Amino acid sequence: MNHREWHIDRNPPDGFNPGDVSPPFLPQGTWSVQSLALDVSGSCNLACRYCAEDASQPKRQPMDIETMGSALDFIFPHGKITRNTSLRFGSGEPLLAFPLLKMADERIKKICTDSRSRYPEVFITTNGTLIDNEVSEWLISSGWHLKISFDGPRSIHDSWRVTPGNCGTYNRIKPVIKKLAKQMQDRLSVTAVLCKGADPQKVFDEIENMGVNRIEMVPVVHHKMSILPDSSDIELYREFVQGYARRFLQKKGKKIPVLVRFAERVCRVMGYNNLRVPCGAGRSFYGVGQDGTVYPCFRFIGIKDYVLGNLRSGLDNEAVYKFRSGAGKPYDERIACRDCWAAPLCGGPCFSCAELFGPGKGEPLDIHCAYSLTDARVAIWLVGQLRKREPERLLSFLPGVSRLYEEESLISKTT
């Protein structure tokens, strides 16, 4: 794989001490499985030019009803739904398996009724092209969280997100997002993938103008250097995040879409949700393939070297331990992250990106470090400014507090 280094400022901001936000060491024993990601369709109806799954994963088949049932039994053992358990449908295009999703919803509702439990958090990630009136009405009423992939203005989106016949999909997806942004509000988020030449400010403005409240912008991962952002793209991203932070600081009381990844960094600068790993993959979170085979997350589905067990026979403890001490090891066991001041704020590299697209030996991709360091640096600045001016606004970044803060702000403005 081609790999090169970007020009990255690796010096910490003045006055920042990473020891102040250093997370505890990870438990070595058994973790409670709290979330599963199911690959229900095994395929996609688009041919996006930067698709990481197409570049790294083998061809797969759709999931059947029996495997879906085994997955629900696995995540809801003995018909009990705990407070933190969740399901995620993604990998490929899950709406290709729409009837199976409806069956899953009906089965979950029955479990809730029988156990007198609350409906769990359920998330679905889609490219949006298969959302017609029937699907949208079902999504609205289901209570599920919806994440739609959309890359911004037509000139950017249609450069990458195309059909197998090489047609752009902007015109098909934009009306869907505008409709669901009104009806699902904070249950809808939009994810934009940043490739070479994508101006993040234009991407953000396009999505915000569609009424979306939650926007996630992620740098692309791929083997082809022609797709990856370059130094000028990183500089544009730095200017964009700085502008977003200044806008947040200046517009008190006015709702600004949540920039999801940046908000997570702000939260960690305050010392919340800091971990020595970037996510729960291979610990509290697993991916499941069409035959019930279990992997660390959806990005590893179908790759034999990362099999961690099966829904019916359970997790292979030896394989799980090998993953946690290898591909899934914490940041303090990675050479490039060990001395990085921002490591407590990012938790180290995405396991699948490092394994399947990185330079090797679990080390991160420089391009992703550049984006993470930018977010961390600006988040530290914003937290410092808010602590001086309006420390109560920092509460809006804490999970579960943002909605309460917005409601209180609205009340104070109308009384």
Side-chain angles (χ1 to χ4, degrees):
M1 189 197 81
N2 291 325
H3 179 69
R4 69 182 183 192
E5 290 190 353
W6 280 258
H7 296 291
I8 302 173
D9 180 2
R10 295 189 181 277
N11 297 313
D14 291 341
F16 178 74
N17 180 6
D20 292 340
V21 293
S22 180
F25 289 100
L26 294 172
Q28 296 300 315
T30 302
W31 288 58
S32 172
V33 179
Q34 297 184 340
S35 183
L36 288 184
L38 307 185
D39 180 19
V40 290
S41 71
S43 61
C44 186
N45 62 329
L46 296 188
C48 300
R49 296 190 173 98
Y50 56 61
C51 182
E53 293 178 14
D54 186 58
S56 61
Q57 294 178 246
K59 300 297 181 185
R60 309 180 301 281
Q61 298 298 315
M63 183 174 286
D64 57 31
I65 296 174
E66 289 74 20
T67 302
M68 172 67 76
S70 297
L72 298 182
D73 291 340
F74 188 89
I75 192 66
F76 307 131
H78 312 296
K80 293 183 179 179
I81 298 176
T82 60
R83 181 178 180 180
N84 296 321
T85 52
S86 64
L87 278 170
R88 298 166 192 277
F89 296 98
S91 190
E93 175 44 56
L95 287 174
L96 287 170
F98 184 49
L100 191 62
L101 297 177
K102 292 174 68 176
M103 290 179 191
D105 181 49
E106 292 170 0
R107 173 76 181 278
I108 297 170
K109 286 176 178 172
K110 185 176 187 308
I111 294 173
C112 292
T113 301
D114 293 345
S115 62
R116 298 182 179 180
S117 303
R118 61 184 286 273
Y119 196 88
E121 298 272 84
V122 182
F123 301 82
I124 179 170
T125 301
T126 171
N127 59 42
T129 58
L130 299 177
I131 300 180
D132 55 17
N133 287 335
E134 178 190 4
V135 174
S136 65
E137 293 306 315
W138 180 80
L139 287 168
I140 292 166
S141 63
S142 68
W144 290 19
H145 298 268
L146 178 65
K147 181 184 290 187
I148 298 181
S149 303
F150 182 77
D151 291 345
R154 184 200 307 274
S155 59
I156 300 174
H157 181 93
D158 283 352
S159 295
W160 305 104
R161 302 190 66 81
V162 297
T163 68
N166 204 30
C167 294
T169 55
Y170 177 91
N171 286 342
R172 293 170 62 180
I173 303 173
K174 183 174 181 178
V176 171
I177 294 176
K178 291 182 70 173
K179 173 184 177 181
L180 295 179
K182 293 180 180 177
Q183 297 181 279
M184 299 186 72
Q185 299 187 0
D186 287 346
R187 283 198 290 125
L188 170 72
S189 66
V190 169
T191 300
V193 177
L194 298 177
C195 299
K196 184 190 290 292
D199 185 334
Q201 186 63 63
K202 293 180 179 177
V203 173
F204 185 89
D205 291 346
E206 177 83 8
I207 300 173
E208 180 183 15
N209 290 335
M210 294 159 66
V212 176
N213 291 336
R214 296 178 60 81
I215 301 173
E216 187 168 11
M217 302 173 78
V218 297
V220 70
V221 57
H222 207 278
H223 294 301
K224 294 180 180 177
M225 299 299 292
S226 59
I227 294 176
L228 300 179
D230 58 24
S231 294
S232 62
D233 294 305
I234 295 170
E235 178 60 19
L236 280 177
Y237 183 76
R238 184 186 64 78
E239 293 174 0
F240 159 70
V241 177
Q242 287 179 335
Y244 176 88
R246 286 194 295 270
R247 181 183 169 194
F248 184 91
L249 192 62
Q250 294 165 359
K251 293 196 174 184
K252 179 183 178 183
K254 293 186 178 179
K255 191 174 181 63
I256 301 174
V258 175
L259 191 57
V260 176
R261 288 166 63 96
F262 177 69
E264 291 172 352
R265 295 291 183 271
V266 172
C267 198
R268 290 189 173 198
V269 171
M270 294 188 285
Y272 291 90
N273 294 336
N274 300 49
L275 291 172
R276 292 177 185 267
V277 289
C279 67
R283 291 179 171 83
S284 60
F285 168 58
Y286 292 87
V288 179
Q290 54 90 16
D291 58 353
T293 303
V294 177
Y295 303 85
C297 79
F298 70 89
R299 278 281 178 82
F300 290 110
I301 288 174
I303 304 178
K304 294 181 179 178
D305 289 346
Y306 299 96
V307 171
L308 300 185
N310 190 281
L311 291 176
R312 299 168 184 86
S313 58
L315 293 172
D316 180 335
N317 291 332
E318 184 175 344
V320 169
Y321 174 79
K322 181 180 178 182
F323 175 79
R324 292 177 185 172
S325 58
K329 61 187 176 184
Y331 72 72
D332 48 317
E333 297 178 17
R334 298 175 188 271
I335 295 173
C337 302
R338 192 176 299 157
D339 298 322
C340 177
W341 63 268
L345 305 181
C346 77
C350 164
F351 300 146
S352 63
C353 291
E355 280 292 298
L356 306 177
F357 297 93
K361 298 182 180 179
E363 298 307 298
L365 286 79
D366 279 348
I367 184 68
H368 284 193
C369 288
Y371 283 90
S372 294
L373 287 165
T374 298
D375 283 340
R377 198 179 299 278
V378 178
I380 290 169
W381 176 83
L382 180 60
V383 170
Q385 292 296 313
L386 287 172
R387 280 175 173 160
K388 294 176 185 175
R389 304 183 189 187
E390 304 170 88
E392 71 279 3
R393 292 190 71 198
L394 286 169
L395 295 176
S396 66
F397 288 97
L398 300 183
V401 178
S402 58
R403 181 171 299 173
L404 177 62
Y405 175 80
E406 290 165 3
E407 291 172 354
E408 290 178 345
S409 297
L410 182 62
I411 291 171
S412 65
K413 290 173 62 180
T414 55
T415 55

